[in-house]
Amino acid sequence: MAESDELTENKEALLGEVAELSHQDKTHVNGQSGRRRVSYASDKNRKASQENDLPSVDLKEEDETAQPFLFTVSETPPLHMLLLIGFQHALLSLSGSLAVVLIAADVICAKDDPEFISQMLSSTLFVNGVSTILMVTIGARLPLYQGAYGGYIIPLLTLMQIDPNRCSITRPADTPLNSSLGFNSTTTPISFNEEQAKKDLIMSYFNEIQGCLMIVGAIHFLVGSTGLVGVLLRYVGPITIVPSILLLGIYVAEPVMSFVVPHWGMSLLTCAIGFILAFYLANWKMPIAIWTRTKGFHIIRYPFHQIYAILIAIVISWLISFIITVAGGFTDDPTDKGYQARTDARLDSVTNAKWFFFPYPGLYGNPSFSSTVFVGFLIATFISILDSIGDYYACAATCRVPPPPSFAVNRGIAVEGFCTVLSGLLGCPQATTTYGANIGAIGITRVSSRSAFIITGIIYIIFGIIGKISAVFVTIPYPVLGGALIIMMGMFNGVVLSNLVSVDLTSSRNLAIMGVSILMGLLVPLWVKKYPNDISTGNTEVDFILKGLLGNPNFSGAILACFLDNTVPGTLEERGIAAWQNQGGDESGATIDYVEGEELYETWLPRAIKEWKGLEYIPFMPTPKKRKQSLSGQWARRKSLIAGVSDVMV
């Protein structure tokens, strides 16, 4: 009798759990079977999807909370949807990479060399694709896009500030070819090829970038592979990072201005179109007609205009510029700054570009070294590391998976370092980093599949190899790019400020540290620019290095912010470091919100290697003990047990 009562109690408890799970499936995404019941309206639709049909998805706003994802991180959508989502992420990030390359071309004196810009852009797109694939498959193993990072441009901007004649070509005096050859001898002046001298100057600066990228990339790799990221996070928090990155966004105002001044009207038009689409119409979803085998033609609502706001703004303004150019509204004088507003100003770059371009080591000569550039790149590297760590956690939260464990973070940082070395080898003017915009797009598209980002990487590799594609992007009028840069850099500054969410902004300590650091980050570089002769040690080389360091706002602001944040008394919670060290939040009771477990961070190595006890001493590999504590594994076993008992009861 006692056994019967106990069995009855167990049945009632299990039935209660089944009812609870059924309720949770309607409001959350808990496990594979629950996600499928939410994602598809019926078994018929699910069967059609398995036959590579487009799932019948209702994109109405009221269904977004009940149906947060169509495909999770480890799942692969149908081929046609995979290609569409991958191409979307590629287009979303294209303008950012283009902007970074154009600014880099300006600071290495290659602004007037569209052929070289086209090659740099091809190399950048190619490396972006390779880096994205490596990050998704080997690195953090999250759906992350790796794009060009503008932080490496700041040291080069500093050199332009302290040496305004950096891009000037000095024409040597005519020198007699023959001398003292007799009374009737004639002298022939040595010819001077100014175009070749300009190319040599560009190559000298570019080779310095290549060499320094390779060195800081190796350091970047070591920080990840040795697990030093954890040590770094003990001393560097939001109060150090925000002033440093914010100064980066402020300091690029001058190169952005060079794109805007050819025609302020076109720049403001581009900015206005992008702003209206992205923000004024943010709550409106565009009706789009689609066809599926199950429903035929029907209308869905999708924020297409918001996702592609910048690209749509560029295309519209580009078309308007073409009409004005044909109508004769822009000057045809190449020496006038307004000439850069014409759509045919750099049209020769398309005809001169090769159909196929494959970057390879040594394409631009042997890498060289510059101590000033190296130190600036090193600072940018550490800022990039901390920024990427924040993106890893943000991506995991967006995809509703457990926060990345330390071994996944270390592996992701190591892969980014390796790709920085690759950038230097293949001729990119900057390294790559994780793009936060694509993380936001995951929440909009509701497809967090890694496979989609592999497609994105392949698309970028194709863009990089086909030289004509990069050349077409180079022909975009400067004012149009200037307007897009205003939006992107403005949004960048806003995103930087969002890192202060974990900081106590009522603390006078925090406000004083950040305020003083930002002011000094602007004041010291301005002093170096206005009074360069004040730095005089008696050694020209040392003077130049000091000017390069002090003229770098990241160096001045970051060093001061880090020093003050670690010496002025304050709690970890007050400084925001406690929140950074516990990005995953409270683990108790939080597993029900995860669609997958920590096993998604593990590599595809053989099981025998994964169970090797020596992995415990490798910072970027999980230990067997951690694998046994897989959250989704426990959750799946619990649901299977309950489902099995329920079937028996029925």
Side-chain angles (χ1 to χ4, degrees):
M1 189 68 179
E3 292 181 357
S4 177
D5 292 337
E6 183 178 355
L7 180 59
T8 302
E9 291 178 359
N10 289 337
K11 287 182 179 180
E12 291 176 353
L14 288 172
L15 286 173
E17 285 200 80
V18 171
E20 181 183 357
L21 287 172
S22 177
H23 173 71
Q24 290 172 347
D25 279 339
K26 296 178 182 178
T27 56
H28 297 288
V29 181
N30 301 324
Q32 188 73 0
S33 60
R35 194 197 66 78
R36 283 300 184 189
R37 287 197 296 271
V38 173
S39 295
Y40 298 98
S42 66
D43 291 339
K44 180 179 179 181
N45 289 346
R46 179 168 68 252
K47 182 177 180 182
S49 172
Q50 292 172 350
E51 296 173 356
N52 287 337
D53 225 355
L54 184 65
S56 179
V57 181
D58 187 2
L59 294 181
K60 293 181 180 179
E61 187 174 354
E62 60 268 23
D63 292 335
E64 289 182 358
T65 56
Q67 186 177 314
F69 289 105
L70 301 176
F71 295 93
T72 60
V73 175
S74 300
E75 293 181 328
T76 302
L79 181 59
H80 52 278
M81 179 179 286
L82 194 64
L83 294 174
L84 181 63
I85 297 296
F87 192 70
Q88 172 179 280
H89 281 290
L91 292 180
L92 180 65
S93 313
L94 185 59
S95 54
S97 295
L98 176 61
V100 172
V101 170
L102 289 174
I103 296 176
D106 188 20
V107 298
I108 65 172
C109 313
K111 184 178 180 180
D112 299 325
D113 191 343
E115 183 179 356
F116 183 68
I117 295 175
S118 176
Q119 291 181 352
M120 282 199 303
L121 183 59
S122 293
S123 298
T124 297
L125 297 180
F126 180 85
V127 172
N128 287 357
V130 174
S131 301
T132 300
I133 294 174
L134 290 177
M135 176 59 70
V136 170
T137 57
I138 299 176
R141 290 183 58 79
L142 285 168
L144 297 166
Y145 168 75
Q146 301 293 295
Y149 180 49
Y152 291 87
I153 299 174
I154 297 301
L156 307 179
L157 289 173
T158 302
L159 295 179
M160 290 190 67
Q161 295 286 348
I162 64 178
D163 186 10
N165 299 320
R166 172 180 169 86
C167 296
S168 301
I169 300 294
T170 303
R171 183 182 182 90
D174 292 341
T175 305
L177 183 63
N178 301 311
S179 59
S180 303
L181 296 180
F183 181 79
N184 295 324
S185 63
T186 59
T187 59
T188 304
I190 298 177
S191 61
F192 174 70
N193 190 333
E194 186 172 354
E195 182 179 353
Q196 184 60 43
K198 183 73 172 180
K199 288 184 178 294
D200 292 341
L201 180 67
I202 294 172
M203 284 298 106
S204 65
Y205 294 148
F206 193 64
N207 290 338
E208 290 178 354
I209 293 176
Q210 287 184 282
C212 293
L213 277 177
M214 293 166 63
I215 297 174
V216 298
I219 297 174
H220 195 154
F221 175 81
L222 289 175
V223 170
S225 59
T226 58
L228 291 176
V229 175
V231 178
L232 195 62
L233 288 176
R234 296 177 188 173
Y235 304 100
V236 180
I239 295 180
T240 300
I241 293 302
V242 169
S244 304
I245 306 181
L246 186 61
L247 286 168
L248 185 157
I250 296 174
Y251 208 65
V252 297
E254 187 168 339
V256 170
M257 183 183 66
S258 66
F259 290 96
V260 174
V261 291
H263 200 286
W264 273 93
M266 291 304 305
S267 294
L268 293 178
L269 176 64
T270 307
C271 182
I273 293 173
F275 212 87
I276 291 172
L277 294 176
F279 303 108
Y280 280 100
L281 299 178
N283 296 326
W284 177 73
K285 292 181 174 57
M286 180 182 296
I288 301 176
I290 66 170
W291 180 89
T292 61
R293 188 178 303 175
T294 55
K295 284 189 174 182
F297 283 102
H298 59 284
I299 302 296
I300 65 171
R301 290 193 170 271
Y302 190 74
F304 181 88
H305 60 285
Q306 186 179 13
I307 297 175
Y308 297 113
I310 294 178
L311 286 171
I312 294 174
I314 289 176
V315 171
I316 294 176
S317 299
W318 197 354
L319 179 60
I320 295 175
S321 296
F322 172 75
I323 296 173
I324 298 176
T325 300
V326 174
F330 294 135
T331 179
D332 57 359
D333 182 8
T335 61
D336 191 295
K337 67 178 185 297
Y339 183 78
Q340 299 299 329
R342 297 178 61 92
T343 54
D344 58 358
R346 292 171 301 281
L347 200 58
D348 291 342
S349 61
V350 179
T351 57
N352 295 333
K354 300 177 181 178
W355 271 105
F356 297 100
F357 172 82
F358 192 84
Y360 58 88
L363 175 62
Y364 302 105
N366 296 324
S368 57
F369 178 79
S370 168
S371 55
T372 306
V373 175
F374 167 73
V375 175
F377 279 7
L378 189 61
I379 297 172
T381 296
F382 286 115
I383 294 175
S384 173
I385 290 173
L386 296 169
D387 188 35
S388 293
I389 293 173
D391 286 334
Y392 296 168
Y393 285 106
C395 182
T398 301
C399 299
R400 292 206 183 175
V401 297
S406 59
F407 66 83
V409 173
N410 291 335
R411 198 168 56 224
I413 297 301
V415 166
E416 286 194 16
F418 172 78
C419 294
T420 299
V421 176
L422 193 64
S423 299
L425 280 173
L426 299 183
C428 300
Q430 77 293 307
T432 59
T433 192
T434 303
Y435 270 32
N438 294 82
I439 298 175
I442 291 175
I444 297 175
T445 62
R446 296 185 302 211
V447 175
S448 59
S449 172
R450 286 186 296 226
S451 303
F453 282 80
I454 293 177
I455 295 297
T456 301
I458 294 174
I459 291 173
Y460 266 96
I461 291 174
I462 295 174
F463 280 178
I465 293 177
I466 302 178
K468 293 288 186 181
I469 295 179
S470 299
V472 169
F473 295 143
V474 173
T475 63
I476 300 176
Y478 278 180
V480 175
L481 290 171
L485 284 170
I486 291 175
I487 300 178
M488 288 188 291
M489 297 311 301
M491 188 65 184
F492 174 82
N493 291 336
V495 171
V496 170
L497 294 175
S498 69
N499 286 284
L500 295 175
V501 67
S502 60
V503 175
D504 183 4
L505 294 179
T506 63
S507 169
S508 58
R509 169 199 182 275
N510 295 343
L511 297 178
I513 292 175
M514 289 187 294
V516 171
S517 300
I518 292 174
L519 180 60
M520 291 299 291
L522 296 172
L523 187 62
V524 174
L526 182 62
W527 166 66
V528 174
K529 179 182 177 180
K530 293 287 186 180
Y531 307 100
N533 294 329
D534 286 359
I535 301 177
S536 178
T537 62
N539 187 308
T540 306
E541 182 67 21
V542 174
D543 290 347
F544 188 75
I545 294 174
L546 289 176
K547 291 176 183 178
L549 292 177
L550 296 176
N552 187 339
N554 287 146
F555 178 82
S556 306
I559 295 298
L560 181 60
C562 185
F563 173 77
L564 293 177
D565 190 32
N566 285 279
T567 55
V568 177
T571 64
L572 294 179
E573 290 76 13
E574 181 183 11
R575 298 165 59 190
I577 292 182
W580 276 31
Q581 293 176 345
N582 187 27
Q583 295 273 10
D586 185 9
E587 294 183 2
S588 60
T591 57
I592 60 174
D593 290 329
Y594 298 148
V595 297
E596 296 182 79
E598 285 191 2
E599 71 275 358
L600 69 91
Y601 296 108
E602 297 185 11
T603 59
W604 26 260
L605 293 174
R607 183 175 180 180
I609 296 179
K610 289 182 179 181
E611 295 179 352
W612 179 48
K613 294 183 178 180
L615 294 180
E616 183 178 355
Y617 305 100
I618 302 178
F620 53 86
M621 292 297 293
T623 62
K625 181 180 179 180
K626 290 183 179 179
R627 282 197 296 276
K628 291 179 181 178
Q629 296 175 345
S630 171
L631 296 173
S632 68
Q634 296 175 1
W635 182 245
R637 285 193 297 272
R638 181 186 177 199
K639 293 190 69 174
S640 299
L641 176 62
I642 296 172
V645 174
S646 301
D647 292 339
V648 172
M649 291 179 180
V650 175

